[in-house]
Amino acid sequence: MPELPEVEAARRAIEENCLGKKIKRAIIANDSKVIEGISSLDFESALLGKTIVSAHRKGKNLWLHLDSPPFPSFQFGMAGAIYIKGVAVTKYKRSAVKDNDEWPSKYSKFFVELDDGLELSFTDKRRFARVRLLKDPTSVPPISELGPDALFEPMTINEFTDSLSKKKIGIKALLLDQSYISGIGNWIADEVLYQARIHPLQICSSLSKENCATLHNCIKEVIEKAVEVGADSSQFPSNWIFHSREKKPGKAFVDDIRICTGLAEIEWNSSYKSSR
């Protein structure tokens, strides 16, 4: 599932390749499950002749600022992905469109050709993504309901520690709450908790100040590293639990220590006890 680093990689690719260019052709899928609140023809008409001014992201959501509203907004869901023809953009294992597949892909929900011939597509194989055309994407859900962005708007250590002291739920559940911090999903939550040596089920208010400071630092380090390498998981540090997330139980090792793994959850064995 695309999380903050993957969506940020897409935003940066658009920023580096598409700004200042005019949309001369648009193809919007006739898929009312993904394309929300507008017909494909009206969506296409609203894009034609517009210039892409900037690309923005909050949490796992991305939107394009054009030279006049409305603006296309993308909620990536389980398998949303941005592709720019001829440009390397991070591909996700479950949403990858192969280089020799048809273009635009049969999974494309949003396709535009720019005035210099560059082509951009947003694909979604699983149809959990949402593509909207909005006057102000930040003023309506889901973006209006998001908490501070984990990369662009990090809490201070004191703010983070104080907020955790008031929470009576498990720390992983809180990190996954997009209204608390936006952009963190399963793999980042598992990674930062593993690196901080904090059990995912530990109640937030039971964390010591030292635990909170360590976790705060791990969130920063993991997200910044993932963004630095363009969300290319082959470049993630070898001691990250990310590399073992999908291995079978008994076959996953980190730092020569065997761990138990599952596809969506990391089960922690006795080698990494709760910090209580």
Side-chain angles (χ1 to χ4, degrees), residues 9-20:
R11 187 195 71 80
R12 293 185 180 191
I14 293 171
E15 193 170 66
E16 292 168 7
N17 294 277
C18 303
L19 301 193

Side-chain angles (χ1 to χ4, degrees), residues 42-250:
D42 287 343
F43 203 139
E44 291 166 2
S45 178
L47 296 175
L48 292 175
K50 299 289 185 65
T51 298
I52 300 176
V53 175
S54 55
H56 301 270
R57 180 195 57 75
K58 186 162 187 177
K60 307 172 192 178
N61 297 264
L62 181 150
W63 66 99
L64 304 182
H65 188 89
L66 308 179
D67 55 359
S68 65
F71 309 129
S73 174
F74 309 89
Q75 185 176 2
F76 278 54
M78 293 292 292
I82 288 285
Y83 289 88
I84 301 174
K85 194 171 185 180
V87 175
V89 183
T90 296
K91 297 178 181 179
Y92 326 123
K93 184 176 180 180
R94 291 180 183 80
S95 59
V97 174
K98 298 177 182 178
D99 291 338
N100 58 357
D101 284 353
E102 63 182 308
W103 178 265
S105 165
K106 64 181 179 181
Y107 302 109
S108 178
K109 305 301 177 182
F110 172 100
F111 168 87
V112 293
E113 181 183 356
L114 306 181
D115 56 4
D116 67 345
L118 196 68
E119 297 176 350
L120 179 148
S121 173
F122 177 83
T123 68
D124 179 25
K125 285 186 175 183
R126 301 188 64 183
R127 301 177 70 222
F128 288 110
R130 296 293 180 267
V131 180
R132 305 174 176 93
L133 191 66
L134 303 168
K135 183 177 180 180
D136 179 5
T138 64
S139 68
V140 295
I143 297 173
S144 65
E145 298 176 342
L146 296 177
D149 184 81
L151 177 65
F152 293 148
E153 306 163 308
M155 297 184 200
T156 66
I157 291 178
N158 288 340
E159 289 171 339
F160 188 61
T161 301
D162 183 61
S163 69
L164 292 182
S165 71
K166 301 171 184 176
K167 304 293 185 181
K168 304 297 184 182
I169 64 172
I171 182 61
K172 180 176 179 181
L174 182 65
L175 293 179
L176 294 179
D177 181 351
Q178 300 302 295
S179 69
Y180 178 68
I181 299 176
S182 58
I184 295 177
N186 260 309
W187 83 254
I188 294 178
D190 286 335
E191 194 63 56
V192 299
L193 291 170
Y194 176 79
Q195 298 299 332
R197 300 303 193 260
I198 296 172
H199 196 287
L201 298 180
Q202 182 159 352
I203 300 301
C204 299
S205 60
S206 73
L207 293 167
S208 68
K209 288 185 178 180
E210 292 75 16
N211 292 150
C212 294
T214 299
L215 180 57
H216 183 273
N217 187 58
C218 288
I219 292 172
K220 179 178 184 293
E221 289 186 347
V222 167
I223 289 177
E224 287 186 351
K225 181 60 180 180
V227 169
E228 176 190 329
V229 300
D232 179 354
S233 59
S234 69
Q235 297 186 55
F236 290 174
S238 61
N239 69 337
W240 279 19
I241 203 171
F242 180 93
H243 303 293
S244 297
R245 286 180 58 79
E246 297 183 19
K247 292 182 179 178
K248 294 179 179 179

Side-chain angles (χ1 to χ4, degrees), residues 1-33:
M1 179 178 185
E3 300 182 26
L4 186 157
E6 290 87 354
V7 182
E8 177 63 12
R11 187 195 71 80
R12 293 185 180 191
I14 293 171
E15 193 170 66
E16 292 168 7
N17 294 277
C18 303
L19 301 193
K21 299 177 182 180
K22 186 176 293 186
I23 298 171
K24 72 174 186 180
R25 184 163 68 105
I27 302 174
I28 305 300
N30 183 21
D31 184 348
S32 59
K33 182 177 180 181

